Amino acid sequence: MINPLLAFATSYARARVQFLEGAATAGMAIQSHNHPLAGRDGETLAMDTALDGSPDDGCLLIVSSACHGVEGFCGSGVQVFAAHDAEWRAHAKAAGVAVLYIHALNPHGFSHLRRVTHENVDLNRNFHDFRQPLPVNPAYEELHSALVPAEWPPTADTEARIAHYIGQHGLNRYQAAVSQGQHHHPDGLFYGGIAPTWSNLTLRQVLRQHAQTARHIAWIDLHTGLGPSGLGERIFAGRDDVDAMRRARAWWGGDGQTPVTSIYDGTSTSTRLTGLMCGAVYEECPQAEYTGIAMEYGALPLLEMLNALRGDHWLHQHPGAPADLRTAIQRRMKEAFYVDTDEWRAQVVVQARQAMFQAVDGLRRRCASV
C-alpha cells in the first residue's frame, strides 16, 4: 500500500504513468486504446484498462474514472491507490471477483482540463439510440444564450437573466434545466451530441472484450462536482428498476450509514438525466445482472461549479482569449472538480475503498446465491 496522498497526480500525463506503472507492478493485464488527438502538452491520450483476475469466474467489478475529463484527477487517484493496495486486491481475489479498471474514459477532457470530450459532448449524456428522436430540453433553450454569453466575465444583464430564472423557478429547477442534457446547441453546456463519441464507442469495445462472460457486473464510476466538499455520495446508476435499486442499497447502503441515492426518487444531488453511460452495459452485456453507482464527490458549491463550466465553454469558443483570462478560467475548472488538499484526497480514498469492498461483498453473495 502506498500513501494515499501520493496516488494523485497534477496532470493527465502523470496520472496515466502512475496508473500504468501501478497496474504493471501488480501484474494486471493492461490494454491501451489510443485517442485520435494529442493532449494539451502533446502527450499521447488513451483510454487504458487494467484487468485484475478473470471475469470468466462470473463476477466482475468495474471501477472507472474521467467520464467527465477534468474529474479524472480524483478517479485516477483512487485507481492508482487500489493498484498498490494488497489487502484490497486479496479481498477481491478471495471473493472470486475480477476487477476491471478503466482509466480516463475521456482522456481528452482530462488532459485539457475540460469536462467534455473533444467533440464538446458530455459523455454521460451521449448514450442514446441515435436512430430515434432525441430528448428535447425546452428549459435549456430559454437559458442557453445567458449560459454561454458573448463575453466573459458575463455582463450584469446576463447574470440578471439567470438570477431571474432562479428566483422564479428555484435552484433545483435551474440545475435540472442546465444539466439534464440537450442536443440542439453543440457549443452549449451538457450537450449530448447527435452521434456516439469516440469515448462511447471505445467503452463499448472494452465492455465487449472484458465483460461478456460475466454473470454479475457491478460498476463504480468515479465523479466529482456535486454535493458537500469531500462527501462521496453513492448515486444509483442504472435503469429505473426496483430490483436493481434494492440490490444497490443492500450492497452499498451500509445499513443507512452510507445511503444510496437516486435521480428517480429525488434523493440525489443530481437531477434526472438523459443518455446515461450505464446504458452501455445493458446493451453490450445482456447476459449479466448489473448493479452500479456513481460515486460523486463535492468540491465547490453548485452555482460556482456551473459558472466554472460556463467560463470553460466560453473559452472554447474564444481561443484567442487573453492568456491571463485563459489561465484563470482553467484554474477555476480544476478547482470546481478537484480540491487540492490532503484532507480532501484522504476522504476520497477512504470512501471509495469502502465502496469497493462493499461491491465485492455484494457480488460474492450474489454469485453464491445463484
Side-chain angles (χ1 to χ4, degrees), residues 18-28 30 50 83:
Q18 290 185 195
F19 174 74
L20 292 175
E21 287 180 346
T25 300
M28 300 183 198
I30 298 170

Side-chain angles (χ1 to χ4, degrees), residues 14 24 32 58 68 122 147 173 183 226 272 299 321 365:
R14 183 59 194 158
S32 296
H68 292 134
D122 183 315
L147 291 170
R173 179 89 169 268
H183 297 269
L226 290 177
R272 192 158 181 156
R365 292 192 299 268

Side-chain angles (χ1 to χ4, degrees), residues 11-13 15-16 32-41 43-49 65-73 76 102-119 121 123 197-200 202-203:
S11 68
Y12 162 75
R16 186 184 185 212
S32 296
H33 303 266
N34 286 354
H35 191 278
L37 301 178
R40 185 176 66 163
D41 300 318
E43 75 273 26
T44 297
L45 301 178
M47 184 187 299
D48 295 303
T49 65
S65 67
C67 169
H68 292 134
V70 68
E71 299 178 21
F73 290 98
S76 177
I102 308 178
H103 185 267
L105 289 157
N106 170 14
H108 187 270
F110 194 168
S111 175
H112 289 269
L113 302 181
R114 302 202 71 209
R115 191 172 178 274
V116 294
T117 68
H118 71 279
E119 301 99 336
V121 168
L123 183 58
T197 61
W198 176 89
S199 289
N200 180 329
T202 305
L203 171 61

